Amino acid sequence: MGLVTEQRPDPAAPDTVEPARADERTRERHAALATEITEHRYRYYVLDAPTVSDGEFDTLMRELEGLEERFPELRTPDSPTQQVGAAPSATFAPVQHLQPMTSLDNVFNQEELFAWVDRTYDRLGGRPGEGAFVCELKIDGLAVDLVYENGVLVRAATRGDGRVGEDVTANVRRIEAIPHTLVSRAGHPVPALLEVRGEVYLSLEQFTRINEELVAAGRAPFANPRNSAAGSLRQKDPQVTASRRLGFTSHGWGATSDDPGTRLELARQSHAYEVLADFGLPVSQYSRVVDTKEEIWAFVEEIAGRRHDFVHEIDGAVVKVDERALQDRLGFTSRAPRWAIAYKYPPEEVTTKLLDIRVNVGRTGRVTPYAVMEPVVVAGSTVAQATLHNATEVVRKGVLIGDTVVLRKAGDVIPEVVGPVADLRDGTERAFVMPTHCPVCGTALAYEKEGDADIRCPNQRSCPAQLRERLFHLASRDALDIEVLGWQGADALLAAGLLKDEGDLFDLTADDLARTSFFTRASKAKERAQGAGERVLSANGKRLLENLETAKTRPWAKFLVALSIRHIGKGNAPDIAAAFPTVEALRDATDEEFDAVEGIGPSIAAAIRDWFDTDWRVDIVRKWQAAGCVLGTYGQPSPTGPQVPQTLAGLTVVITGTMPGYSRDEAQEAIVVRGAKAAGSVSKKTDYVVVGEGAGSKADKARALGRPIVAAQDFQRFLDEGPSAVALLGE
């Protein structure tokens, strides 16, 4: 389908022809077509009972499109034609969910499932009675949150961290199964506000089609339907999302209106699904209300035997307490409802031919063997490679090149070679021999210390494979979030000899990038005539320079991840950055200071010392600082201006949970620039603990130690006016 572009009148033309206005008869025909098409879509996507053929449906759609081409006034946002088509590129702004999108706890066998049922009975004081539970499929897709106001879809977001997701409204509007407007056929009141939760997925049929098209175009296929669904939903161009033909199934809701005239009275989860379906929202046709744990198990086993029969992939079954009042009594843990559980099916196993064992060199020099196999479908995904971890693991598993091997997807996610089918050997198989030299730079491989399982390339500074991996790592979202510095960009910089190591990254100039084809483009004739040369900086080249400038002021914790110190990642970097607020403080830290920080054990402390004991790594810090990078919390500019009142001077503050209007990094920064230490763990030395939604063990520890607690809604006043301006919880 081509782009529909707006036709603007020529300003030089003496007469501008006004578009024709639709008469009453045309308006009636347009409204009738829209209603009929919407009904057909409902029957097709929700009821799975279409009453017209695809050809008949297409004829109706073409007529509707023709009317809107002749009479543009008829093309409104809720028209069926606007579910696909041209639209401005989307940018994914952060969106805070009206109510948090929690996850589900998992069980993996009958014993664990029955134990969950028994605990549920205990919490409720006995068995709830008939229709106690509703069972449904666990769709392997992408969770999304839809917000309808007065029945109109106004926003859609990904799950994100459960509280803040990505705004994907423009793309979700291109999913035909998701209605733009809620209309009840059974007379249910459409609430003034309704937050719908569900799963976006790519059907197995569409997954096959898209991968065939990608391969035919010489591009890499998607790994599995879940990833392709996520990638399709996050396209910058909504038309690409529309072409992927994503599906959607709703499985719950968040915030709803309390308005007496439109309030939904939903006594049971199963009844809610009926109401959502009545509104035009797709729901699963495989849900089942059951009474006992034996009936739950029967459902789980039945679905396991049919797991490849569904239009989409599933990775388990979900069991929920059906009665809403009982759900409210059971409540939530910090991450999941107590009234629901996910039963995860065991990993699937298949056999395939092991064609070769090769090695990959990672960013820390670790050389990892991996299996190259005849492609095989396992758990719904085509797999051709799997990690073998290290040479010792290859020997332990007893696999030979040429073996038929058992392949398993542990948790339906990570491919794993379990072992060989030895009875099928014919004598042509051969053992894998670990290389003695780096396959990329030729340096002799060695164990870092005696007893190590992993062999490494010691040429850490200049091995192209390690440097490329480190560049890719520091450009990731977990680190400095440099958008265009991916695999190809890193390869281009290294091939042009622009970087000895990552320390040179922030010194790159436009003249440097002009030496690469990846960051340049052929100049136009006019530019050549003006002496611009044959190649000029491309959009990617300009964006890289802009991103590098922006990255200089990323939070210190992000830089800490970017340094590639072993054992330090996005999980523990914020706590380490809070304890050591500058790179100099981390470099000069004593054993006693390391011991005082929860989460820094001997291995991490040793890794930090080793890193700073290496001259060329210390030189990276020097180069980055000389280029203007801020590797420390205290030195970073504050969004509130250079002069920030020291309202928290000398205090030690711990933040746990979500703070309104702040990310975790921003909240810690706000504490530090006002003179406090933003600690990562609670102790008797902690002066205040700020507790927000989703707070976990730190809040419990604060209460146990009697530390003063500040509520998240008072966080801004706490920052602006100090502790004396807020009421402490429990006082």
Side-chain angles (χ1 to χ4, degrees):
M1 184 177 294
L3 289 175
V4 179
T5 57
E6 182 181 359
Q7 301 297 315
R8 298 185 181 275
D10 182 359
D15 296 309
T16 301
V17 178
E18 293 291 331
R21 306 289 295 181
D23 58 23
E24 189 62 30
R25 183 175 179 181
T26 302
R27 291 178 180 277
E28 290 176 356
R29 177 57 181 164
H30 179 273
L33 280 170
T35 300
E36 186 175 0
I37 290 170
T38 300
E39 178 65 19
H40 286 316
R41 280 180 169 163
Y42 175 77
R43 295 190 64 83
Y44 183 84
Y45 287 106
V46 181
L47 301 182
D48 198 22
T51 56
V52 297
S53 68
D54 289 347
E56 291 171 322
F57 179 86
D58 290 342
T59 298
L60 295 171
M61 181 61 78
R62 283 195 297 270
E63 183 182 354
L64 186 67
E65 290 171 341
L67 287 177
E68 293 183 356
E69 285 296 321
R70 289 171 54 200
F71 308 106
E73 66 189 283
L74 299 177
R75 188 182 293 119
T76 59
D78 59 351
S79 169
T81 64
Q82 297 308 293
Q83 293 186 355
V84 292
S89 294
T91 55
F92 304 125
V95 173
Q96 185 159 349
H97 304 307
L98 301 179
Q99 286 187 5
M101 293 183 71
T102 57
S103 185
L104 289 173
D105 288 331
N106 299 318
V107 293
F108 298 92
N109 54 51
Q110 185 187 56
E111 181 181 2
E112 292 176 350
L113 177 62
F114 282 9
W116 174 82
V117 175
D118 291 336
R119 286 196 303 273
T120 302
Y121 288 162
D122 290 343
R123 290 188 176 113
L124 295 176
R127 288 178 55 175
E130 293 185 358
F133 303 96
V134 58
C135 301
E136 56 196 57
L137 307 182
K138 188 176 184 299
I139 300 174
D140 193 13
L142 182 72
V144 295
D145 181 75
L146 311 177
V147 177
Y148 289 87
E149 293 179 359
N150 298 315
V152 177
L153 177 64
V154 297
R155 189 170 69 247
T158 60
R159 182 199 298 273
D161 63 2
R163 288 164 180 80
V164 177
E166 298 169 304
D167 189 339
V168 289
T169 307
N171 288 355
V172 164
R173 287 185 182 278
R174 300 309 188 263
I175 300 176
E176 292 192 64
I178 296 178
H180 292 186
T181 305
L182 303 181
V183 179
S184 173
R185 295 160 179 80
H188 292 106
V190 176
L193 173 68
L194 179 62
E195 190 178 23
V196 178
R197 272 68 191 275
E199 208 81 8
V200 168
Y201 62 85
L202 189 70
S203 72
L204 296 174
E205 178 182 357
Q206 294 303 323
F207 174 69
T208 301
R209 175 186 68 83
I210 292 169
N211 270 356
E212 288 174 350
E213 292 174 356
L214 290 173
V215 172
R219 296 168 60 190
F222 285 118
N224 55 59
R226 197 274 170 199
N227 284 354
S228 56
S232 299
L233 192 62
R234 292 190 174 99
Q235 291 290 322
K236 294 256 179 116
D237 183 357
Q239 192 170 5
V240 176
T241 302
S243 71
R244 300 286 169 82
R245 305 175 196 171
L246 297 169
F248 174 78
T249 296
S250 50
H251 53 58
W253 63 96
T256 57
S257 172
D258 287 328
D259 178 63
T262 63
R263 183 170 55 209
L264 288 174
E265 300 294 340
L266 303 174
R268 290 182 172 272
Q269 185 89 13
S270 53
H271 177 226
Y273 291 162
E274 296 173 4
V275 174
L276 292 176
D278 176 55
F279 286 157
L281 288 156
V283 298
S284 176
Q285 58 181 301
Y286 301 104
S287 298
R288 183 182 305 167
V289 176
V290 300
D291 298 333
T292 65
K293 57 187 178 185
E294 289 77 15
E295 290 176 323
I296 293 174
W297 183 246
F299 177 88
V300 168
E301 287 192 307
E302 176 186 336
I303 297 303
R306 302 173 54 194
R307 64 183 300 183
H308 297 303
D309 296 341
F310 306 109
V311 68
H312 46 62
E313 280 200 329
I314 65 170
D315 57 356
V318 177
V319 184
K320 301 175 181 177
V321 172
D322 197 26
E323 190 173 338
R324 290 301 310 281
L326 298 183
Q327 291 182 8
D328 292 340
R329 281 177 56 188
L330 291 167
F332 293 78
T333 67
S334 61
R335 64 175 298 275
R338 291 191 180 92
W339 44 266
I341 199 73
Y343 181 96
K344 298 294 292 291
Y345 290 129
E348 292 189 323
E349 295 183 350
V350 296
T351 58
T352 188
K353 197 77 169 179
L354 177 60
L355 303 177
D356 199 4
I357 297 177
R358 300 173 187 168
V359 296
N360 176 65
V361 183
R363 65 185 171 95
T364 62
R366 179 187 177 193
V367 180
T368 306
Y370 65 93
V372 179
M373 302 164 294
E374 289 183 353
V376 62
V377 176
V378 53
S381 303
T382 301
V383 174
Q385 296 181 357
T387 183
L388 287 165
H389 302 293
N390 52 55
T392 302
E393 187 73 357
V394 176
V395 174
R396 187 189 72 79
K397 290 180 181 292
V399 293
L400 302 176
I401 297 171
D403 266 338
T404 296
V405 295
V406 176
L407 180 69
R408 178 172 61 199
K409 288 193 70 181
D412 285 354
V413 176
I414 304 172
E416 175 190 4
V417 174
V418 179
V421 184
D423 289 345
L424 295 179
R425 287 176 175 165
D426 59 11
T428 62
E429 298 80 14
R430 56 190 173 87
F432 165 70
V433 179
M434 192 73 177
T436 58
H437 290 73
C438 175
V440 180
C441 71
T443 302
L445 302 178
Y447 293 103
E448 191 170 56
K449 60 181 183 293
E450 187 176 351
D452 275 358
D454 296 324
I455 194 168
R456 298 179 185 273
C457 170
N459 182 21
Q460 296 180 331
R461 180 182 188 184
S462 54
C463 174
Q466 294 182 59
L467 181 51
R468 183 188 64 178
E469 291 278 357
R470 292 201 303 272
L471 288 171
F472 184 72
H473 168 74
L474 72 83
S476 68
R477 287 188 177 183
D478 292 341
L480 301 183
D481 195 13
I482 303 172
E483 183 180 348
V484 295
L485 189 55
W487 290 108
Q488 289 180 298
D491 278 337
L493 296 176
L494 296 177
L498 296 176
L499 304 176
K500 290 183 180 178
D501 54 47
E502 56 266 49
D504 300 325
L505 182 63
F506 288 96
D507 291 327
L508 289 172
T509 66
D511 289 341
D512 292 329
L513 298 186
R515 293 162 52 186
T516 76
S517 59
F518 182 79
F519 293 109
T520 59
R521 61 173 175 81
S523 60
K524 299 177 182 178
K526 182 178 179 180
E527 292 168 334
R528 290 197 297 270
Q530 295 174 345
E534 292 299 318
R535 300 193 68 81
V536 297
L537 209 59
S538 67
N540 275 343
K542 295 175 183 177
R543 197 178 307 123
L544 176 61
L545 294 177
E546 293 170 357
N547 285 175
L548 288 173
E549 194 62 32
T550 301
K552 291 178 181 179
T553 56
R554 297 282 188 226
W556 163 221
K558 296 284 189 179
F559 270 102
L560 189 50
V561 174
L563 291 176
S564 285
I565 301 173
R566 197 179 303 173
H567 308 309
I568 295 181
K570 68 174 184 178
N572 59 2
D575 290 340
I576 296 173
F580 304 99
T582 66
V583 69
E584 291 81 9
L586 184 65
R587 179 196 63 198
D588 299 334
T590 64
D591 290 342
E592 291 75 15
E593 288 173 322
F594 281 139
D595 290 341
V597 179
E598 185 176 340
I600 297 186
S603 296
I604 295 178
I608 293 172
R609 290 193 201 92
D610 289 346
W611 198 94
F612 283 104
D613 285 343
T614 307
D615 289 343
W616 67 267
R617 285 170 170 158
V618 174
D619 206 38
I620 291 172
V621 172
R622 182 190 62 76
K623 290 179 182 179
W624 284 2
Q625 289 179 323
C629 296
V630 183
L631 276 73
T633 303
Y634 293 139
Q636 291 178 342
S638 167
T640 60
Q643 302 298 325
V644 180
Q646 300 297 285
T647 52
L648 306 176
L651 299 176
T652 297
V653 180
V654 173
I655 297 173
T656 179
T658 302
M659 298 297 111
Y662 289 85
S663 68
R664 179 179 180 181
D665 290 337
E666 291 169 344
Q668 288 185 330
E669 173 69 9
I671 290 288
V672 169
V673 298
R674 288 163 174 83
K677 175 184 177 181
S681 58
V682 179
S683 70
K684 292 182 180 179
K685 297 179 180 180
T686 303
D687 293 300
Y688 294 94
V689 180
V690 187
V691 175
E693 285 191 26
S697 59
K698 292 178 184 178
D700 295 334
K701 189 171 183 180
R703 297 184 186 97
L705 294 175
R707 296 296 82 203
I709 295 176
V710 178
Q713 60 264 31
D714 293 328
F715 182 55
Q716 192 61 55
R717 177 174 291 183
F718 180 71
L719 295 174
D720 295 340
E721 303 177 36
S724 61
V726 300
L728 302 178
L729 296 181
E731 290 192 347

